[in-house]
Amino acid sequence: MQFDDDADLDTSEVQDVRGSRIPGGKATVGGGIAGLIALILGLLFGVGPDQLGLSSGGSGTTATASSAAQVQQSCRTGQDANTREDCRIVAVVNSVQDYWKQEFRRRGGTYTDAPTVLFTDRIATACGTATSAVGPFYCPGDRKVYLDLGFFDDLRTKFGSSGGPFAQAYVVAHEYGHRVQDLMGTLSRSQDRQTGANSNAVKVELQADCYAGVWAHHATTTPDESTGRPLITSLTQEDIRDGLDAAAAVGDDRIQERFQGRVTPESWTHGSAVQRQQWFTTGFRSGDMADCNTFR
């Protein structure tokens, strides 16, 4: 995956609070055994810790501004995105949101931006206080995506993904799939607290995978609003394979087999490895969000 070296990155779409002291109470899920339990349950790529029973107090708290604000200082152009991981995330967020703004406009609607918050260790959100163990998530309460970049190391070392820049892009695009669902009114279907292979929770997650694929289909043709040129200049078959490998690595069955030694479909919340790959592929091949109706 390559970015236009001369493109200007919009860092206003990413809030960098890494290293900040975050107010808002104690998190109920931490590292060690508690964090491992969160991983075993497959509570990754979710839509907020409150829906997972991971929040505690502080439901109206927000992240403090980082004095470092690394991305604002260091992530200026597409060339930076080609050399730095955090700048790559900025570029992907820019590309994903450029696409959805244009797609909503084409359909007669309005897409409103949702920033990504980069944090370390733990974060206080409108959905409660969460730790890195929860994995990346979208919080509908404050309309933000939360991401600890350390998750990408876990994706390779704990979940067996091949990794790579597009694996990271898939993660980000999936979370913005939840943003799309929030605007479309479908995200709330996951809040019935039911689990299982045919649950609404799984259908919501698979649809977000499909929306990630839709964006990937258009990624190299979506014009950047500032330059009129695509921010992403190339996606290779190897990139797509890395994305599919990441999707499979966080399938409920793969996670359960790896961490508890058995597969229990009745507790699934995100879908199997095959399902996640299939729905990403569906979106990627057609490029049409209308093909992402996982609720049929």
Side-chain angles (χ1 to χ4, degrees):
M1 182 171 63
Q2 289 291 315
F3 301 93
D4 178 359
D5 280 342
D6 298 324
D8 293 327
L9 300 185
D10 183 0
T11 57
S12 70
E13 294 184 358
V14 174
Q15 299 172 4
D16 188 357
V17 298
R18 290 174 291 173
S20 297
R21 182 176 296 278
I22 304 299
K26 298 178 179 179
T28 58
V29 173
I33 297 300
L36 182 59
I37 291 172
L39 300 179
I40 290 174
L41 293 176
L43 302 179
L44 292 172
F45 291 29
V47 292
D50 61 329
Q51 292 172 278
L52 309 178
L54 306 182
S55 60
S56 64
S59 60
T61 57
T62 57
T64 61
S66 171
S67 58
Q70 296 175 56
V71 297
Q72 282 73 20
Q73 295 175 3
S74 303
C75 302
R76 305 285 189 176
T77 68
Q79 185 175 24
D80 298 323
N82 284 322
T83 56
R84 285 178 57 118
E85 180 181 59
D86 51 1
C87 299
R88 183 186 307 135
I89 299 305
V90 174
V92 171
V93 170
N94 288 173
S95 174
V96 170
Q97 297 209 103
D98 279 345
Y99 170 70
W100 287 116
K101 278 185 278 192
Q102 293 166 33
E103 177 63 12
F104 269 60
R105 190 181 305 129
R106 187 181 71 83
R107 292 172 174 269
T110 301
Y111 175 89
T112 52
D113 284 348
T116 283
V117 180
L118 300 182
F119 73 99
T120 49
D121 299 328
R122 72 184 184 99
I123 190 78
T125 80
C127 294
T129 302
T131 74
S132 302
V134 178
F137 64 92
Y138 170 71
C139 174
D142 54 24
R143 299 177 297 279
K144 295 179 181 180
V145 171
Y146 290 90
L147 172 64
D148 185 330
L149 295 180
F151 172 76
F152 296 133
D153 292 329
D154 291 341
L155 193 58
R156 290 182 297 100
T157 61
K158 293 182 180 179
F159 298 99
S161 168
S162 59
F166 192 76
Q168 299 174 1
Y170 156 72
V171 171
V172 173
H174 173 100
E175 295 311 326
Y176 278 95
H178 288 313
R179 173 58 178 160
V180 172
Q181 291 171 322
D182 195 11
L183 292 169
M184 299 285 289
T186 55
L187 183 60
S188 60
R189 295 193 185 191
S190 66
Q191 297 177 9
D192 60 8
R193 297 194 178 271
Q194 300 298 308
T195 62
N198 294 314
S199 65
N200 282 336
V202 167
K203 292 174 182 178
V204 162
E205 296 299 330
L206 295 178
Q207 186 177 62
D209 282 334
C210 187
Y211 286 161
V214 169
W215 161 75
H217 176 95
H218 297 279
T220 59
T221 58
T222 297
D224 178 73
E225 292 193 336
S226 64
T227 66
R229 303 188 306 270
L231 179 55
I232 296 177
T233 58
S234 70
L235 278 182
T236 67
Q237 286 300 312
E238 183 179 359
D239 290 325
I240 300 304
R241 283 196 297 270
D242 285 343
L244 287 169
D245 191 64
V250 291
D252 281 324
D253 53 340
R254 292 275 186 93
I255 292 175
Q256 289 176 339
E257 182 67 34
R258 179 177 289 265
F259 291 104
Q260 67 184 26
R262 60 191 176 90
V263 177
T264 53
E266 64 273 12
S267 66
W268 285 4
T269 57
H270 292 71
S272 69
V274 169
Q275 286 176 312
R276 301 199 73 164
Q277 288 185 320
Q278 285 178 340
W279 279 103
F280 176 87
T281 300
T282 294
F284 179 66
R285 285 178 175 170
S286 76
D288 187 351
M289 67 184 299
D291 292 332
C292 295
N293 185 2
T294 57
F295 296 93
R296 285 182 295 198

